[in-house]
Amino acid sequence: MNQMLELRGRWTLITGASSGLGLELARHIAKEHGGHVVLVARRRDRLETLAEELRSRYGVQAACVTADLSRPEDVERLFTEATTGRDIHAVILNAGVTYWGEAMKLGWSDFQAMLDTNVTSLVRLSTLFVPYLIERGTHGGLMFVSSVAGLIPVPYQAAYSGTKAFVTSYGQCLAQELRPKGLSVTVFAPGGISTELLVNSGLSNRFKAGDIGVMSPEACAAHAVRAFVRRKELYVPGLVNQGLALVARVLPRGFLAQRTAAIYRPES
Ligand SMILES: NC(=O)c1ccc[n+]([C@@H]2O[C@H](COP(=O)([O-])OP(=O)(O)OC[C@H]3O[C@@H](n4cnc5c(N)ncnc54)[C@H](OP(=O)(O)O)[C@@H]3O)[C@@H](O)[C@H]2O)c1
């Protein structure tokens, strides 16, 4: 399976497509690769607006599936709806949420929702789509959107950092298991991206577009799709983030956690 992942004229499913990186991934795949897209998120109006834009501007097909990925029944329905009447060739599991603050102040139900969205839905969708993609035998691919926070422990984003460490490890393991079966798995691990995630968590007060290591969602999406079609197993975009990933491999994790704690500690 050496050939590049071909997206042109084929369907790619993208979760978290209503804003930020997911929205730009859909635009990039439609514009630069002529790929059809299944857009997934909770905010239907945003998905419909994007779908219309992609159809009219780039002449691709675009479908919308509304699903709350923290709800197991929505995840099962998403698979059925997405695969009815179309052949999915590629799957990008991008949806994610974070919480910035002391770990002990994260409410239990908010933690559960984060775990269900960032981890459980990703594993469940993998177990549904992997046999489906293997059965089709078209050498498709999956991409998991992780984070540099999955490579380095990030205090004050403790639960999020833990979910992304899982995503990175799970994805790299699946990449090895599935390559002989003709499927590629790409783990994409960006640093900061100027999206609603930073605004919703309050982190936009600390990190903003133009800061070192903070990318625009457009630039980040271009890196992600490039890594995906090249079937990279782990890709960290941007020199600053790549430097951090390198440092994370050589420095003691305790030291790294101490440094990131100093950067992320909220003002009391
Ligand atoms: N922004 C960063 O600094 C950064 C850095 C590294 C990694 N990442 C990762 O990049 C990915 C995309 O994040 P982003 O920065 O683009 O954030 P964003 O703009 O907030 O987008 C998050 C997307 O996930 C969807 N989503 C959230 N909860 C959902 C749920 N329960 N069910 C279905 N969809 C849900 C949202 O759609 P609805 O609200 O419409 O459902 C939205 O489309 C995430 O996995 C994030 O962890 C982000």
Side-chain angles (χ1 to χ4, degrees):
M1 195 198 39
N2 290 326
Q3 84 272 27
M4 307 249 281
L5 181 63
E6 179 60 59
L7 301 178
R8 186 167 301 280
R10 292 172 163 181
W11 285 96
T12 299
L13 178 137
I14 306 165
T15 67
S18 62
S19 76
L21 180 60
L23 183 150
E24 294 301 337
L25 286 168
R27 274 200 184 123
H28 194 88
I29 287 169
K31 181 177 178 203
E32 304 297 336
H33 293 265
H36 309 316
V37 286
V38 179
L39 308 170
V40 183
R42 289 167 300 187
R43 288 171 290 182
R44 180 89 195 179
D45 53 334
R46 285 189 175 214
L47 297 182
E48 296 284 8
T49 304
L50 177 62
E52 191 42 47
E53 176 198 317
L54 302 183
R55 287 183 205 113
S56 59
R57 274 204 193 161
Y58 309 120
V60 299
Q61 297 179 58
C64 306
V65 179
T66 317
D68 181 343
L69 297 176
S70 70
R71 295 161 55 101
E73 61 276 25
D74 280 26
V75 176
E76 306 290 322
R77 177 180 49 76
L78 157 60
F79 175 74
T80 309
E81 266 189 46
T83 54
T84 301
R86 65 180 73 82
D87 289 334
I88 304 286
H89 179 62
V91 174
I92 301 180
L93 302 178
N94 158 78
V97 288
T98 190
Y99 162 79
W100 177 46
E102 289 177 28
M104 292 305 123
K105 291 185 179 163
L106 172 62
W108 186 244
S109 60
D110 288 338
F111 169 71
Q112 291 269 310
M114 188 194 298
L115 194 61
D116 289 339
T117 306
N118 296 8
V119 173
T120 311
S121 78
L122 180 139
V123 174
R124 183 60 186 136
L125 288 170
S126 300
T127 66
L128 292 166
F129 275 109
V130 164
Y132 166 90
L133 292 171
I134 292 174
E135 167 83 19
R136 292 192 64 242
T138 55
H139 301 295
L142 296 102
M143 179 159 68
F144 298 164
V145 176
S146 183
S147 169
V148 169
L151 307 173
I152 297 175
V154 181
Y156 305 104
Q157 277 198 292
Y160 176 75
S161 187
T163 65
K164 293 301 183 180
F166 177 93
V167 169
T168 302
S169 184
Y170 185 70
Q172 288 195 273
C173 292
L174 282 198
Q176 293 306 314
E177 292 186 27
L178 299 178
R179 192 170 27 176
K181 298 179 193 290
L183 270 190
S184 57
V185 178
T186 299
V187 175
F188 180 67
I193 321 167
S194 50
T195 66
E196 286 178 16
L197 180 134
L198 290 190
V199 177
N200 293 341
S201 62
L203 276 165
S204 56
N205 294 329
R206 198 152 293 192
F207 306 104
K208 55 187 184 311
D211 287 354
I212 285 184
V214 180
M215 281 189 174
S216 70
E218 294 87 345
C220 198
H223 281 284
V225 177
R226 194 179 150 83
F228 190 34
V229 298
R230 282 170 172 67
R231 300 185 189 274
K232 300 273 185 205
E233 290 185 359
L234 173 66
Y235 191 76
V236 178
L239 282 177
V240 172
N241 297 324
Q242 285 164 5
L244 283 172
L246 188 65
V247 158
R249 291 220 296 269
V250 291
L251 291 182
R253 283 175 70 77
F255 173 77
L256 291 168
Q258 201 183 31
R259 299 313 308 151
T260 48
I263 295 166
Y264 280 85
R265 186 173 293 117
E267 322 225 317
S268 45

